[in-house]
Amino acid sequence: MTHEELLQEKLDELQKSYDLVVDHFDKMSEGYQESLLLYDKLEEKCNELKETNVQLDIARQRAEDASRMKTIFIQQISHEIRTPLNILSGFTQVVTTPGMELDDDTKADINRQITENTNRITRLVNKMLELSDASSMAVIERDEQVPAVQIVAEATEDSGIATAEHLTFDIQLSAEAETAILTTNQRAAVRALTLILDNARKFTKPAEALARQEEQSDKKRATLQADVTDGFVRFVVEDTGIGVPQEESESIFEEFVQLDEYYDGTGIGLTVARSLARRMGGDVVLDQSYTQGARFIMTLPI
């Protein structure tokens, strides 16, 4: 074998070795790419699991909050019912005591307090019944022709906001609202607006638990405005009360939520109001742009 042939043989062997190395490198590269893809998939799954765990933590927290709120609600209802029952029981013992003589003023006062506390229990029972219906998705029949001014008048009277001594109340109706006729459910529409007005009345007044420590130097203000826009009547209830933090703008519509434990209440009024409005094709929202208290907007279709 000549020198050239030996050299060619060595070159051929080197070429084979090189080809083997290249092939091995290519396989290693493919394996590396597969490993990268697998790593990316595992990382994606890990992120999904982290997100799932976050959502589970949020759901758990909400469940715990709901359970706590329900417990508070039951305690509040028990207190709210026990107080008028004790009053009724006390007056019953007085008026049924043998030989007990009462003057006319005392009798009138007893009659007034019995009526007030009986109505108080009735309202509580009605609220509990409304709450049981609040989660319903059933559409409320809109088969009555009701003037917007009538809804305003009845809700104002039912809420008692116009006679509240701690605030000044004003009604402002646009020309369109004064003549607007809604195809709606009168009872449900009045009730929803009553609950919103009741919320304004309640949270413009100093909390009973702090009444001795707080001096209200000037009267608070509440207004009920009504106008017509895009086929809806807007009922806007605005007050200068304690307001609602932006981060709580939706949670206040959940069952049993009360942002201030010093205020009396059951935490279901806004829940019921929104449920009623939505089931009639409208809505209740909090206007977050208003910062001097709270402004709730209820819309109902004409």
Side-chain angles (χ1 to χ4, degrees), residues 57-299:
D57 284 340
I58 293 174
R60 177 184 56 78
Q61 184 62 48
R62 286 180 176 174
E64 290 177 354
D65 288 344
S67 178
R68 179 174 59 84
M69 291 297 182
K70 286 180 181 179
T71 300
I72 294 173
F73 171 75
I74 292 172
Q75 292 172 345
Q76 289 173 335
I77 287 294
S78 298
H79 170 73
E80 291 284 331
I81 291 179
R82 188 181 303 113
T83 300
L85 282 178
N86 288 339
I87 293 173
L88 293 175
S89 176
F91 282 131
T92 300
Q93 293 179 26
V94 170
V95 298
T96 57
T97 299
M100 176 67 70
E101 294 185 4
L102 303 172
D103 58 52
D104 290 341
D105 289 341
T106 302
K107 289 180 181 178
D109 183 58
I110 289 176
N111 181 67
R112 178 185 60 79
Q113 293 201 50
I114 288 176
T115 301
E116 287 180 356
N117 285 280
T118 300
N119 291 338
R120 185 176 176 183
I121 294 174
T122 301
R123 287 194 298 269
L124 284 169
V125 172
N126 288 338
K127 273 194 173 183
M128 295 174 70
L129 293 175
E130 285 177 330
L131 178 61
S132 67
D133 190 49
S135 59
S136 171
M137 300 300 290
V139 174
I140 296 176
E141 291 295 329
R142 298 165 50 222
D143 53 7
E144 297 174 287
Q145 300 295 309
V146 186
V149 292
Q150 184 173 344
I151 295 173
V152 167
E154 291 187 19
T156 299
E157 182 178 355
D158 291 350
S159 67
I161 193 170
T163 57
E165 296 181 355
H166 68 281
L167 59 76
T168 57
F169 177 69
D170 186 32
I171 297 176
Q172 302 170 2
L173 305 179
S174 70
E176 293 84 358
E178 287 182 347
T179 58
I181 304 293
L182 290 84
T183 301
T184 190
N185 182 295
Q186 182 174 339
R187 184 198 63 80
V190 170
R191 183 56 181 161
L193 185 55
T194 297
L195 289 168
I196 299 172
L197 288 170
D198 186 60
N199 186 78
R201 179 187 57 78
K202 182 190 305 179
F203 291 105
T204 50
K205 185 178 182 180
E208 291 186 16
L210 302 176
R212 294 180 180 178
Q213 296 147 11
E214 295 182 358
E215 290 293 335
Q216 191 165 329
S217 57
D218 57 344
K219 281 192 173 184
K220 298 295 184 179
R221 175 181 57 81
T223 60
L224 169 55
Q225 306 163 33
D227 56 44
V228 179
T229 177
D230 299 327
F232 287 82
V233 174
R234 293 194 330 150
F235 300 92
V236 182
V237 178
E238 180 180 297
D239 67 60
T240 56
I242 64 174
V244 179
Q246 279 200 345
E247 64 273 15
E248 303 288 353
S249 61
E250 279 301 308
S251 66
I252 56 172
F253 292 102
E254 297 175 5
E255 298 174 358
F256 316 119
V257 171
Q258 285 185 283
L259 301 184
D260 194 323
E261 62 182 6
Y262 292 109
Y263 282 83
D264 289 337
T266 54
I268 62 176
L270 293 175
T271 306
V272 173
R274 171 177 275 189
S275 172
L276 291 172
R278 287 184 171 180
R279 290 159 61 197
M280 291 186 290
D283 203 356
V284 176
V285 298
L286 175 71
D287 183 356
Q288 298 183 43
S289 68
Y290 181 74
T291 58
Q292 299 177 36
R295 177 191 287 150
F296 289 92
I297 301 173
M298 181 178 81
T299 53

